[in-house]
Amino acid sequence: TTFVMEKSNVKGSMEQSDVSVEYSGYFRKNSVRLKDEYKDLHNMIRENARARGGFGADVEFISSQQLKTQHSNCEQLLYISPLSRIRHIWDALLMLCMGYVALVTVFLACTLGTYGADHWSFWVELFISLIFILDIGANCFTGYFHSDGSIELEIKEISKHYMKTWFVTDFIACLPWNGIARAIIDNPQVIFSYWSLLRFFFLLKLLKWPPIWQEIRISKLITLIELELRWKHSYFKLILLLVQTAFLSHWIACLFYFFARAQQVFNANLTWIDLTILPTLNLTEKYIAALYFSVYTVTTIGYGDIVPITNPERIYTCVAMIIGASAFATIVAAVSGVLSEITMNDVYYRTLLDSLSLYAGMHNIPKDLHFRIRRFFTHRRVYHPFIFEAELLGLLSQQLRAKVNQN
């Protein structure tokens, strides 16, 4: 077996012997044009999706003429494609609003309580509620993917599907809960109350984070970023796990402070704030202490220097420990899976070499031949690390496969 290598200065001139393998310079030729090929591939996928109405290979072709006959002029104006740029921009805006709610709104609800129009966050939350209301209207006209990959085009069916799935969640999340809490309290002098927790209903919108992120991931911008950075999807999954852990720790910390503050205001009880740290600390320092408690609770470390004092604090801490331990176990399992995906090629070749040693011992393969075979796989691991080439090419359509073969 011959191994055609065009690397000239790697520890001198590398010997071209029987351990070599015939690659015909495929990877060397295509490495220069790899980025352009993937850009063309992405554009072809998007064009094929627009033409077919979905990503499935067997989806019925829908031409522009068929769209005109299927929709009235009004429906053509109202229909929003889930692949359109305007939809991706709108989804990005929604994710920014969700991030604000998950971080800032939760923090203000647990530390400041309710507030009126004189506070800047009142108008920000009012704006977010307006965005969520507009999103309900947009979802009634945005096509969705069927299980076979096709896109629903009938606005009537789109609206019915949305009413059965996300409408109730979106409706609850769009209500102005800060104003509702102030109306229930009905006392402008009282700003800190358990009714402040009504604003946690905003977090229901986070249930749509995974499907929205999946829609954004297929956008052209995200794909180009992945090409430029050459990031694997596993890296994004790791970042997502870290973000989820940070959000959970933030929420536990905010509520831990809230229940202590509520005991001080309503029952005048001594809390963990009074007995474990100086009450004169500012709000930022108290939040850092609560976050410290939250992190060592979620990670099941439990130093014990900050502990709950009152019964409501203890009850909340029990719930936080159950949630934190469950979340930590899930995160550890997910991280292990992600790391196995990242090292998949290395694990494959290490297992292959171990199997080779067993095979050579069972069949009494001569040492020189065993040496040559091992060097063959070693070179293949370095210069041909991609182990799923046949599977990838087999999944492509005939047009895309022909395009790849031309290069």
Side-chain angles (χ1 to χ4, degrees), residues 138-153:
N139 289 330
C140 292
F141 303 100
T142 302
Y144 64 91
F145 290 96
H146 290 285
S147 57
D148 61 355
S150 60
I151 298 179
E152 179 59 55
L153 301 172

Side-chain angles (χ1 to χ4, degrees), residues 214-260:
Q214 290 300 324
E215 294 294 334
I216 294 178
R217 276 204 74 241
I218 65 176
S219 65
K220 184 176 180 180
L221 177 61
I222 298 298
T223 304
L224 290 177
I225 292 175
E226 290 178 348
L227 288 176
E228 292 292 338
L229 299 178
R230 296 183 180 274
W231 270 29
K232 298 180 181 179
H233 179 59
S234 303
Y235 298 155
F236 285 104
K237 292 172 67 175
L238 278 177
I239 294 175
L240 183 60
L241 288 173
L242 293 176
V243 171
Q244 291 174 346
T245 305
F247 279 167
L248 179 62
S249 301
H250 173 69
W251 298 338
I252 292 177
C254 290
L255 287 172
F256 188 56
Y257 175 85
F258 174 82
F259 284 108

Side-chain angles (χ1 to χ4, degrees), residues 116-272:
D118 55 337
H119 196 277
W120 60 269
S121 187
F122 175 86
W123 299 103
V124 176
E125 291 182 15
L126 193 63
F127 172 76
I128 291 176
S129 295
L130 178 61
I131 293 296
F132 288 171
I133 292 173
L134 294 176
D135 183 58
I136 292 177
N139 289 330
C140 292
F141 303 100
T142 302
Y144 64 91
F145 290 96
H146 290 285
S147 57
D148 61 355
S150 60
I151 298 179
E152 179 59 55
L153 301 172
E154 288 288 346
I155 292 182
K156 182 179 179 180
E157 294 298 324
I158 294 172
S159 301
K160 289 171 59 177
H161 176 266
Y162 176 66
M163 292 295 176
K164 294 178 181 179
T165 53
W166 289 106
F167 173 74
V168 175
T169 302
D170 289 347
F171 178 76
I172 295 175
C174 76
L175 296 177
W177 290 108
N178 182 64
I180 294 175
R182 289 184 62 84
I184 293 175
I185 297 172
D186 196 22
N187 186 351
Q189 302 299 323
V190 177
I191 60 173
F192 198 88
S193 169
Y194 284 106
W195 292 110
S196 302
L197 297 182
L198 285 176
R199 286 151 69 190
F200 272 70
F201 281 116
F202 278 127
L203 297 179
L204 289 176
K205 198 69 174 181
L206 292 179
L207 295 175
K208 297 189 69 176
W209 187 296
I212 289 177
W213 171 244
Q214 290 300 324
E215 294 294 334
I216 294 178
R217 276 204 74 241
I218 65 176
S219 65
K220 184 176 180 180
L221 177 61
I222 298 298
T223 304
L224 290 177
I225 292 175
E226 290 178 348
L227 288 176
E228 292 292 338
L229 299 178
R230 296 183 180 274
W231 270 29
K232 298 180 181 179
H233 179 59
S234 303
Y235 298 155
F236 285 104
K237 292 172 67 175
L238 278 177
I239 294 175
L240 183 60
L241 288 173
L242 293 176
V243 171
Q244 291 174 346
T245 305
F247 279 167
L248 179 62
S249 301
H250 173 69
W251 298 338
I252 292 177
C254 290
L255 287 172
F256 188 56
Y257 175 85
F258 174 82
F259 284 108
R261 179 66 177 150
Q263 291 296 301
Q264 289 178 330
V265 172
F266 301 118
N267 301 325
N269 293 331
L270 294 178
T271 66
W272 65 267

Side-chain angles (χ1 to χ4, degrees), residues 4 42 45 64 68 96 98 128 163 167 169 250 360 373 389:
V4 179
H42 173 76
I45 291 175
S64 59
K68 291 179 181 179
L96 289 177
M98 293 178 196
I128 291 176
M163 292 295 176
F167 173 74
T169 302
H250 173 69
I373 296 174
E389 181 180 2

